[in-house]
């Protein structure tokens, strides 16, 4: 049960988070490059349309048969997952829990302290869940990084729960 992070408080839906399954989530981000590059706000529909268009163009040009390059790309992605350092944005979890309209802050409950941040800032958080291909067992199950990367060298560790107040 210590690998599960509870999400409760002034929310419509209390949820539990399991960092062990985030490696399979398409929303994961590579933390080795995430804070180094200037992240622009993306239009999700536009990104989806571009990806589909690129896939469609590839099928027209190369045919629907999987050329060896696709197998190589898949192998590269598997290798990246096994050796990478990843995180996942916090905002989708916050949205799914549906905070109460009077909620103003998110309290990060750690093993030794509680840190309260405004809900607007919490939307920008990134939850780190793996380092060099390994889950964060020793002082995990997740690390908290601020959206601006200001604490990327010293993230919040030993996170046990989130409480919306």
């Amino acid at each position: 049960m210590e690998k599960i992070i509870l999400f409760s408080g002034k929310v419509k839906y209390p949820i539990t988070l399991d960092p062990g399954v985030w490696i399979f989530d398409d929303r994961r981000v590579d933390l080795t490059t995430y804070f180094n590059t200037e992240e622009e706000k993306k239009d999700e529909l536009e990104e989806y349309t571009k990806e589909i268009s690129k896939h469609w163009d590839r099928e027209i040009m190369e045919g629907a048969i999987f050329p060896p390059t696709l197998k190589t790309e898949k192998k590269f992605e598997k290798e990246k997952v096994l050796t990478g350092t990843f995180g996942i944005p916090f905002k989708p979890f916050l949205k799914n829990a549906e905070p109460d309209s009077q909620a103003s802050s998110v309290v990060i409950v750690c093993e030794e302290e509680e840190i309260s941040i405004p809900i607007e800032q919490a939307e920008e958080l990134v939850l780190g869940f793996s380092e060099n291909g390994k889950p964060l067992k020793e002082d995990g199950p997740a690390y908290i990084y601020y959206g601006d990367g200001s604490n990327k060298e010293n993230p919040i560790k030993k996170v046990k729960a989130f409480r919306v107040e």
Side-chain angles (χ1 to χ4, degrees):
M1 195 66 176
E2 64 193 40
K3 295 177 187 173
I4 301 296
I5 300 172
L6 301 174
F7 197 118
S8 61
K10 291 183 179 178
V11 293
K12 190 172 185 178
Y13 304 105
I15 58 176
T16 56
L17 306 175
D18 183 0
V21 299
W22 292 343
I23 195 69
F24 304 109
D25 198 312
D26 290 336
R27 297 172 294 190
R28 73 177 180 270
V29 294
D30 187 347
L31 290 177
T32 56
T33 60
Y34 183 76
F35 298 113
N36 299 339
T37 56
E38 191 61 40
E39 195 69 25
E40 67 222 31
K41 299 294 179 189
K42 299 177 188 173
D43 179 11
E44 290 183 20
L45 180 60
E46 184 178 334
E47 288 296 314
Y48 174 75
T49 305
K50 284 181 183 178
E51 284 296 315
I52 294 300
S53 297
K54 192 165 78 173
H55 180 73
W56 181 252
D57 289 345
R58 188 177 196 163
E59 280 197 9
I60 289 172
M61 291 169 57
E62 298 176 5
I65 302 170
F66 296 115
T69 57
L70 285 180
K71 290 179 184 174
T72 306
E73 289 171 13
K74 286 181 182 178
K75 185 176 180 181
F76 175 74
E77 283 298 316
K78 285 181 186 176
E79 186 69 28
K80 187 177 172 185
V81 166
L82 294 174
T83 60
T85 300
F86 294 103
I88 192 164
F90 182 69
K91 188 175 184 174
F93 300 122
L94 187 59
K95 272 182 141 178
N96 287 343
E98 293 186 23
D100 192 60
S101 60
Q102 285 83 31
S104 62
S105 65
V106 173
V107 177
I108 303 167
V109 180
C110 301
E111 199 170 278
E112 299 165 359
E113 64 180 330
E114 291 188 1
I115 301 164
S116 180
I117 60 173
I119 205 161
E120 296 80 22
Q121 186 181 354
E123 289 180 349
E124 303 300 319
L125 294 176
V126 177
L127 306 175
F129 62 87
S130 78
E131 192 167 35
N132 300 324
K134 306 284 185 236
L136 305 172
K137 291 182 180 177
E138 195 149 312
D139 47 5
Y143 294 169
I144 306 295
Y145 297 93
Y146 295 122
D148 61 2
S150 60
N151 70 334
K152 71 178 181 180
E153 300 301 322
N154 189 24
I156 300 168
K157 299 180 178 180
K158 298 183 181 181
V159 177
K160 301 296 176 197
F162 294 102
R163 187 174 64 245
V164 177
E165 295 184 337

